[in-house]
């Protein structure tokens, strides 16, 4: 058994270790101690360099999917339908054929969203899992981010409920057998109001089990409380739905706990994360956010154990939900500890404040962060042809916002939180985003991500349930995803039911990611912005990615009507880099008849892109 104690390091930071380690270190004399620290730092630096090199040999391509939706062949799609009516995908539906189809897109990480047990209205009482209270569940299937047991998987996803963990473990093995790695969600900021772990290992103390509920805040509590006030579900905002009859406006929680989005009220609003409760990392939010990190708060230790548990199950990385709502000191402490179990783990932080990106990468020890507020938002304006759209947003991202760490930013155009590109509320047509996808995949060497169905133009239509008709694919309900189901083709996963335009779209993604994921210039190269030339306007952008092994000219034309015509001058320092002969457009694999010289003539149709190797 490891007993947690605190040892001081010279810079004043504290970390958890073992009694033996601390005792041995304290016995070192001054000279030996300095030598030991020196070699430790050298070793750590060398390891970090080796790890970085290993991770950067190939661009990380992530494919996000919800198993509940991904493998569902049912096409009934009744709003707020039950699992019996609308069906649910299973871990077992993600077959070798499915994984092969995913891998065709040059994917090397699969993010299984919603794998952990979360609040739901579906009754599994026969298996010891009661349905949750409809007053604190969003939708019928429930939010994957309202975790009700950190040590269990969602029973919806199992064929044999009693063996659901074995089915998940088999999926991990199948994924690994295809040389793909596994990501799952780590949801550290909040849990479901009904949280109770049935599957926790022996000696694990449940969240809140030892809390002093008479205190609004205590650094030793797992939750925040409103003493003397019972919880009241929100009123107003909710519409009459098929699950209204299950709601009585009551939920037994006394005293009330703070709500996940930092709402310290006994009755949150309908727009709050009312189905969740905030976890306490030792920050007193109601008193100037004063921090109590010494001794280490119990939540820190419990979360480390959760991460270690899933790492030992073979998980290769964690997408950390709302990472900025958890103290950076926690990440600084926990990530290195979990990486002792598997040094090749990756941690991806969902982050939305560019001002603290570098801090979360350097001090917080994250490997990658979302590039949502910068690149995604700017590209969305260009895709939608908004009046204020301007390629200067792309320039700002790599030259200012993430300068020096662009290779550690995760780029995407879709995920479970964002609107589908092909939806009426976004672009209305998937092909309008292809120039943006080219920029996302080539601007930096960091990960690029696809959301299942994106590659076949899924429009996210329909009023599925809690999410309503919001241009997104629901995460709250049982549902079939029509365009994705055409590619799934009854479990063949061969695209047999796709239209010609959908097949062409998928082929475009396939070729683009084949090129970028293996490109030395993209993964390891420098970037040079091409000056405005020819008729280039604020909807047209060009840059060069180059390394000692490769040169690429990336040109993107977001303009809906104008053809880009320009003569791109290549600087002398880039001309000295190893060149490719013949010059060709890698997206079409066509040779370009370009005369030798210091410039490349470009003629690019509206809403299109080129990646020219020269």
């Amino acid at each position: 058994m490891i007993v947690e104690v605190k040892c001081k390091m010279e810079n004043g930071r504290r970390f958890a270790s073992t009694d033996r380690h601390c005792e041995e270190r304290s016995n070192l004399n001054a000279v030996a101690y300095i030598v030991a620290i020196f070699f430790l730092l050298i070793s750590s630096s060398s390891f970090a360099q080796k790890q970085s090199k290993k991770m950067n040999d190939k661009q990380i391509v992530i494919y996000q999917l919800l198993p509940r939706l991904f493998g569902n062949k049912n096409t009934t799609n009744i709003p707020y339908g039950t699992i019996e009516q609308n069906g649910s995908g299973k871990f077992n539906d993600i077959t070798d054929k499915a994984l092969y189809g995913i891998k065709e897109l040059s994917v090397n990480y699969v993010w299984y969203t919603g794998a952990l047990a979360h609040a739901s209205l579906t009754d599994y009482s026969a298996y010891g899992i009661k349905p949750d209270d409809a007053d604190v569940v969003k939708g019928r299937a429930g939010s994957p981010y309202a975790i009700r047991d950190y040590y269990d998987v969602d029973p919806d996803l199992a064929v044999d409920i009693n063996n659901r963990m074995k089915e998940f473990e088999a999926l991990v093995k199948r994924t690994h057998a295809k040389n793909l790695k596994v990501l799952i969600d780590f949801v550290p900021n909040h849990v479901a109001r009904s949280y109770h772990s049935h599957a926790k290992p022996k000696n694990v103390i449940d969240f809140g089990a030892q809390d002093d509920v008479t205190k609004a805040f205590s650094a030793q509590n797992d939750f925040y409380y409103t003493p003397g006030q019972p919880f009241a579900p929100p009123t107003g905002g909710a519409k009459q739905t098929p699950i209204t009859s299950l709601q009585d406006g009551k939920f037994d929680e006394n005293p009330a706990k703070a709500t996940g989005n930092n709402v310290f009220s006994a009755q949150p609003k309908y727009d709050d994360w009312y189905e969740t409760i905030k976890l306490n990392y030792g920050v007193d939010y109601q008193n100037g956010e004063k921090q109590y990190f010494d001794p280490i708060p119990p939540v820190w230790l419990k979360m480390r154990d959760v991460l270690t548990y899933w790492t030992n199950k073979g998980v290769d990385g964690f997408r950390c939900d709302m990472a900025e709502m958890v103290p950076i000191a926690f990440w600084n402490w926990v990530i290195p500890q979990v990486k002792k179990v598997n040094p090749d783990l990756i941690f991806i932080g969902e982050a939305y404040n560019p001002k603290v990106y570098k801090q979360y990468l350097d001090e917080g020890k994250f490997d990658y962060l979302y590039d949502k507020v910068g690149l995604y938002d700017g590209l969305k304006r260009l895709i939608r042809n908004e009046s204020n759209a301007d390629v200067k947003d792309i320039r700002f991202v790599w030259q200012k916002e993430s300068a020096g760490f662009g290779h550690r930013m995760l780029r995407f155009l879709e995920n479970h939180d964002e609107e589908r590109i092909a939806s009426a509320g976004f672009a209305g047509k998937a092909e309008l985003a292809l120039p943006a996808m080219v920029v996302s995949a080539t601007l930096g060497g960091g990960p690029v991500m696809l959301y299942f169905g994106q590659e076949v133009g899924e429009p996210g239509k329909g009023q599925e349930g809690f999410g309503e008709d919001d241009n997104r694919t629901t995460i709250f309900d049982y549902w079939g995803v029509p365009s994705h189901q055409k590619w799934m083709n009854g479990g063949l996963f061969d695209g047999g039911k796709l239209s010609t335009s959908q097949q062409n779209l998928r082929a475009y993604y396939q070729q683009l990611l084949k090129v970028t994921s293996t490109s030395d210039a993209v993964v390891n190269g420098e970037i040079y912005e091409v000056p405005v030339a020819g008729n280039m306007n604020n909807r047209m952008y060009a840059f060069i990615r180059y390394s000692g092994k490769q040169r690429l000219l990336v040109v993107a034309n977001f303009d809906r009507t104008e053809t880009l015509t320009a003569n791109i001058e290549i600087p002398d320092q880039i001309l000295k880099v190893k060149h490719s002969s013949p010059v060709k457009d890698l997206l079409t694999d066509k040779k370009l008849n370009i005369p030798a010289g210091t410039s490349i003539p470009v003629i690019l149709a509206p809403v299109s892109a080129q990646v020219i190797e020269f």
Side-chain angles (χ1 to χ4, degrees), residues 217-478:
F217 168 81
S218 166
Q220 294 305 302
N221 280 351
D222 293 334
F223 300 119
Y224 300 89
Y225 296 90
T226 55
Q229 299 181 63
F231 173 78
T235 57
K239 300 177 182 178
Q240 290 290 315
T241 71
I243 64 172
T244 300
S245 61
L246 302 176
Q247 300 168 333
D248 60 5
K250 299 176 183 178
F251 179 71
D252 186 15
E253 181 181 290
N254 191 5
K257 302 179 180 75
T259 296
N261 59 322
N262 293 5
V263 173
F264 297 85
S265 166
Q267 185 175 37
K269 296 177 181 177
Y270 186 74
D271 290 336
D272 289 325
W273 304 348
Y274 63 83
E275 81 279 24
T276 68
I277 44 182
K278 174 82 174 180
L279 284 164
N280 175 11
Y281 284 79
V283 179
D284 189 352
Y285 288 96
Q286 294 180 287
N287 288 288
E289 298 191 17
K290 191 172 180 181
Q291 299 176 343
Y292 298 86
F293 299 157
D294 183 10
I296 294 171
V299 164
W300 290 32
L301 302 173
K302 290 172 181 174
M303 287 305 194
R304 179 201 58 190
D305 293 344
V306 168
L307 288 165
T308 300
Y309 176 84
W310 291 106
T311 300
N312 286 330
K313 290 284 185 188
V315 169
D316 302 292
F318 300 92
R319 177 268 188 190
C320 301
D321 186 68
M322 300 307 298
E324 292 168 306
M325 295 186 76
V326 173
I328 197 167
F330 166 73
W331 299 115
N332 174 272
W333 175 84
V334 78
I335 290 177
Q337 292 208 39
V338 183
K339 284 194 175 187
K340 290 177 183 177
V341 180
N342 178 6
D344 292 331
L345 282 175
I346 64 169
F347 282 80
I348 300 170
E350 180 190 14
Y352 299 108
N353 181 5
K355 293 181 181 178
V356 296
Y357 283 171
K358 196 169 191 307
Q359 187 181 9
Y360 271 79
L361 289 168
D362 294 346
E363 187 179 340
K365 308 296 184 184
F366 277 96
D367 296 294
Y368 306 104
L369 297 178
Y370 270 33
D371 196 347
K372 194 273 181 190
V373 173
L375 191 62
Y376 171 88
D377 285 352
L379 289 175
K380 185 172 185 179
R381 288 188 286 270
L382 287 161
I383 295 167
R384 285 168 50 86
N385 199 32
E386 295 179 11
S387 59
N388 62 336
D390 198 309
V391 295
K392 68 180 181 182
D393 292 330
I394 303 172
R395 178 185 306 118
F396 179 78
V397 165
W398 71 266
Q399 292 186 0
K400 300 288 185 182
E401 188 175 270
S402 57
F405 55 88
H407 62 292
R408 297 180 68 185
M409 301 302 292
L410 166 66
R411 272 70 191 251
F412 58 86
L413 293 181
E414 283 192 0
N415 64 39
H416 66 280
D417 285 321
E418 308 301 340
E419 293 177 311
R420 289 285 193 176
I421 296 164
S423 68
F426 192 156
K429 185 179 180 183
E431 288 76 9
L432 291 173
L434 294 181
M437 192 63 213
V438 171
V439 171
S440 292
T442 57
L443 192 66
V448 60
M449 184 170 74
L450 299 181
Y451 187 40
F452 82 108
Q454 176 183 345
E455 73 278 17
V456 293
E458 169 57 39
K461 288 182 180 179
Q463 188 167 338
E464 310 108 331
F466 180 82
E468 301 185 333
D469 194 358
D470 63 353
N471 305 310
R472 296 167 176 83
T473 295
T474 180
I475 64 170
F476 305 104
D477 300 280
Y478 301 109

Side-chain angles (χ1 to χ4, degrees), residues 1-5 17-21 202-205 301 304-305:
M1 179 179 177
I2 294 178
V3 180
E4 293 293 343
V5 296
S17 186
T18 63
D19 288 318
R20 182 180 61 79
H21 184 185
K202 291 180 180 180
N203 303 321
V204 170
I205 299 171
L301 302 173
R304 179 201 58 190
D305 293 344

Side-chain angles (χ1 to χ4, degrees), residues 150-171:
Y150 278 119
Y151 290 98
D152 202 1
V153 292
D154 182 6
D156 285 345
L157 307 180
V159 175
D160 180 353
I161 310 301
N162 285 324
N163 288 309
R164 57 191 180 276
M165 186 61 77
K166 289 183 180 178
E167 291 185 20
F168 173 76
E169 291 168 347
L171 172 61

